[in-house]
Amino acid sequence: MAMVSIKRILITESVDPCCTKILQDNGIQVAEKKTMTKDELIAEIKDYDGLVIRSATKITEEIINAAVNLKIIGRAGTGVDNVDVDAATKRGIIVMNTPSGNTISAAELTCALLMCLSRGLPQAVMSMKAGNWDRKKFMGTELYGKILGIVGLGRIGKEVATRMQSFGMKTIGYDPITPPEISATWGVEQMSLEQLWPQCDYITVHTPLMPSTTGLLNDASFAKCKRGVKVVNCARGGIIDEAALLRALESGQCGGAGLDVFVEEPPKDYSLVNHPNVISCPHLGASTKEAQARCGQDIALQIVDMLHGKALVGAVNAHVLASTFSLDSHQWIKLGESLGLVLRACSASKQPYGQVQITTIGESLKNSVGFLGSAVMVGLLKESPNNSPNLVNVLTLAQEAGIMIIRNHAGEDQKLAKSLCMVDISASGSRYKATGSVLGEVPVLLELNGSIFRQPIPLSGNLLFFKGMTTPQVLPSVAGILAAAGVVIESFSASVADNGDQWCCIGLSSLLGDLEALKPLVNEVTQVFV
């Protein structure tokens, strides 16, 4: 079962032809329109529900807001800093990249720049082309025995480490996510940045560009390094402060730099590029035939696998979806959304919501409270003004609405033979509760506001809920009003009586146009389509 439906995809950059072929072979229409201006893309994007880009296309909030049908943005490469991920998330658009597609190519370029820095190879080549034979001028240093500091120990950092170890380099590193015991298995000793800077002969950075990594190498950090340290950046422009790097090069604190990326691409200020100790490339990290073929294939297969309900790989803003690719999970998602819809209908006059608590019970649901909580919120916020909630954006929408979400797993209840999802919401001082389960692949309601139904209610179709006195006159009167409105009763279930009152649920052929005629007969009444 697919989470989304993608019929038309726009490709705005040069992607390997295998990408188009894979998508078309799976029934997706593909349009390739390269070198579009921003205005052209804004005018065009409304006709597509999928977009594939590389690094040149900048997907801004303005473009995302114009993409009224867009469901997925696929980046054929690593990093998504050319996409406004927050704006995409708010619109419920999945943003996906190919995390391993250009790993080898980027790692190999990093290693090449490290070697070139150690021997001044590009400068020596250009000197010979100018007719010179300056052997003494290009005295280099060996990599053997030197210390390489790797900032960012993800896929690329790991590949760089293993390759440079073959040159006899000692590799140390820093990463706030990768556990030290893991990096130790591939020969990298982790430490803090304060410990790392003074030890390094060479430093290479392999982190995403974000506020915490912008200007990571700056005047202060260069001052803590060995004099003559050499640095490489094949990740993202801005991780190394370009002005600070130029000052360090001019003072000799930095002995050389290998740069494949810049804050502005192409750079307008060529001060760094023209420095004699800088080796620069025009963002070639992923520019190999193999990487382009791999990234094109990966992004197409990832989209197809998602559409076929097989797996979700490379999504950077939809982690909750990763655990939803099974038939069982889809039924529970349907249950969560349905419970949200029922409680939304019951509490319509009491909104806004203050707190929502979702509790799962049962061993089979121990890893499901995340997506079940999101599914409940989709139901609660459905048809709210100015938003279209889905599993991608609903937590953002809930946060903006000031709703506190609490998710718990209560483990196995020995008294119960089934797994349960319990939802408890507070709205304007009132509380509403619902409990449901999935029985025989059918989502069912078991309890509403403390009243247990004698028979589980299938959560499907048009449902009328009302609470009233258990008197013989109520049901015939309700049935008469429904018949007068031309509505057919398709099912009926009642709860156990509580203090003379009981909840009843009637399955209807269609929803009533007006509930006013029922209100004199019952204490509470609402209807919902699920």
Side-chain angles (χ1 to χ4, degrees):
M1 180 178 177
M3 296 301 299
V4 296
S5 174
I6 305 291
K7 296 180 180 180
R8 302 189 70 203
I9 284 181
L10 174 64
I11 300 177
T12 62
E13 298 182 56
S14 294
V15 179
D16 192 275
C18 69
C19 178
T20 296
K21 185 176 186 307
I22 291 170
L23 294 172
Q24 289 177 335
D25 287 348
N26 284 273
I28 300 172
Q29 297 179 38
V30 179
E32 297 185 57
K33 300 188 178 183
K34 302 163 188 173
T35 65
M36 300 178 73
T37 66
K38 178 182 176 181
D39 290 340
E40 288 172 338
L41 183 55
I42 288 174
E44 187 80 15
I45 194 64
K46 66 181 184 301
D47 298 325
Y48 298 90
D49 41 24
L51 176 66
V52 171
I53 61 172
R54 286 180 60 197
S55 59
T57 306
K58 310 300 180 186
I59 305 301
T60 63
E61 183 176 9
E62 185 179 1
I63 292 171
I64 287 169
N65 288 338
V68 292
N69 296 309
L70 200 62
K71 299 179 181 71
I72 187 166
I73 298 170
R75 159 84 160 91
T78 58
V80 288
D81 44 291
N82 57 321
V83 178
D84 189 330
V85 177
D86 290 339
T89 301
K90 189 172 181 180
R91 288 289 307 276
I93 300 168
I94 298 170
V95 180
M96 176 187 290
N97 67 353
T98 54
S100 59
N102 60 9
T103 297
I104 299 301
S105 294
E108 288 183 353
L109 180 61
T110 300
C111 296
L113 289 175
L114 287 167
M115 287 184 277
C116 286
L117 284 173
S118 73
R119 302 301 293 269
L121 294 180
Q123 294 92 330
V125 169
M126 295 308 296
S127 177
M128 279 204 70
K129 287 183 180 293
N132 301 317
W133 183 265
D134 294 325
R135 292 185 67 192
K136 292 183 179 180
K137 182 179 180 180
F138 298 107
M139 178 66 67
T141 58
E142 291 183 349
L143 293 172
Y144 181 83
K146 302 301 189 299
I147 297 177
L148 172 64
I150 305 172
V151 180
L153 297 169
R155 293 178 178 86
I156 298 173
K158 175 184 177 181
E159 295 297 335
V160 169
T162 56
R163 282 159 177 75
M164 299 317 295
Q165 287 161 14
S166 68
F167 283 83
M169 298 193 84
K170 177 183 177 181
T171 50
I172 61 177
Y174 167 78
D175 193 296
I177 298 174
T178 303
E181 57 271 21
I182 297 298
S183 61
T185 64
W186 24 276
V188 178
E189 178 189 356
Q190 278 204 54
M191 59 191 67
S192 70
L193 289 173
E194 294 300 307
Q195 294 171 307
L196 181 141
W197 300 134
Q199 299 188 49
C200 299
D201 300 296
Y202 296 81
I203 296 171
T204 179
V205 294
H206 300 285
T207 72
L209 182 66
M210 57 183 71
S212 61
T213 62
T214 299
L216 200 60
L217 262 169
N218 51 39
D219 287 315
S221 45
F222 272 120
K224 296 171 184 175
C225 293
K226 288 182 180 180
R227 184 167 179 82
V229 66
K230 297 178 174 67
V231 299
V232 171
N233 185 4
C234 289
R236 285 292 181 267
I239 298 172
I240 299 177
D241 183 320
E242 292 180 353
L245 174 58
L246 185 58
R247 288 189 287 269
L249 286 163
E250 291 175 343
S251 71
Q253 181 64 17
C254 178
L259 303 176
D260 185 47
V261 290
F262 297 85
V263 172
E264 188 175 32
E265 295 183 354
K268 292 179 181 177
D269 184 350
Y270 264 61
S271 300
L272 272 176
V273 174
N274 291 331
H275 194 281
N277 292 336
V278 171
I279 301 166
S280 56
C281 304
H283 204 147
L284 300 179
S287 294
T288 63
K289 294 179 181 178
E290 294 85 354
Q292 290 312 301
R294 199 178 296 121
C295 287
Q297 174 179 280
D298 285 356
I299 196 65
L301 290 176
Q302 287 170 204
I303 292 172
V304 169
D305 284 348
M306 181 194 68
L307 296 180
H308 290 171
K310 293 181 179 179
L312 183 65
V313 176
V316 301
N317 69 334
H319 305 297
V320 70
L321 297 180
S323 57
T324 64
F325 284 79
S326 70
L327 180 59
D328 286 346
S329 67
H330 286 288
Q331 301 303 332
W332 285 97
I333 289 170
K334 171 64 175 174
L335 172 70
E337 184 174 342
S338 298
L339 292 177
L341 285 168
V342 170
L343 289 174
R344 179 178 179 275
C346 290
S347 62
S349 63
K350 298 289 185 177
Q351 295 182 32
Y353 305 112
Q355 177 178 295
V356 179
Q357 180 168 316
I358 301 99
T359 303
T360 53
I361 297 176
E363 186 67 19
S364 65
L365 295 180
K366 64 180 180 180
N367 297 319
S368 304
V369 68
F371 69 75
L372 266 173
S374 294
V376 168
M377 295 309 302
V378 169
L380 278 173
L381 298 181
K382 206 162 193 175
E383 300 175 9
S384 295
N386 303 321
N387 69 60
S388 299
N390 61 22
L391 294 179
V392 177
N393 67 1
V394 72
L395 296 184
T396 299
L397 298 176
Q399 184 179 21
E400 290 180 351
I403 302 171
M404 178 183 294
I405 302 173
I406 301 172
R407 287 172 285 194
N408 300 306
H409 179 67
E412 200 74 42
D413 190 330
Q414 299 298 326
K415 298 179 182 179
L416 299 169
K418 51 185 172 288
S419 299
L420 301 175
C421 176
M422 305 170 63
V423 183
D424 185 341
I425 70 172
S426 63
S428 300
S430 300
R431 292 180 65 188
Y432 302 87
K433 300 179 182 179
T435 300
S437 186
V438 174
L439 303 179
E441 300 185 0
V442 177
V444 296
L445 178 68
L446 303 175
E447 184 177 348
L448 181 62
N449 292 338
S451 297
I452 300 173
F453 288 94
R454 293 188 178 95
Q455 294 294 326
I457 299 170
L459 289 169
S460 177
N462 305 297
L463 301 177
L464 174 71
F465 290 93
F466 62 89
K467 185 178 183 181
M469 294 293 293
T470 54
T471 61
Q473 295 82 15
V474 172
L475 290 179
S477 299
V478 170
I481 291 172
L482 294 175
V487 176
V488 177
I489 296 177
E490 296 180 342
S491 64
F492 175 81
S493 182
S495 71
V496 177
D498 182 18
N499 296 325
D501 282 358
Q502 67 180 161
W503 275 98
C504 297
C505 178
I506 300 177
L508 307 176
S509 59
S510 61
L511 295 178
L512 281 170
D514 190 350
L515 296 178
E516 288 302 317
L518 291 174
K519 290 181 178 179
L521 302 175
V522 297
N523 298 327
E524 297 180 51
V525 61
T526 190
Q527 60 182 349
V528 62
F529 173 77
V530 294

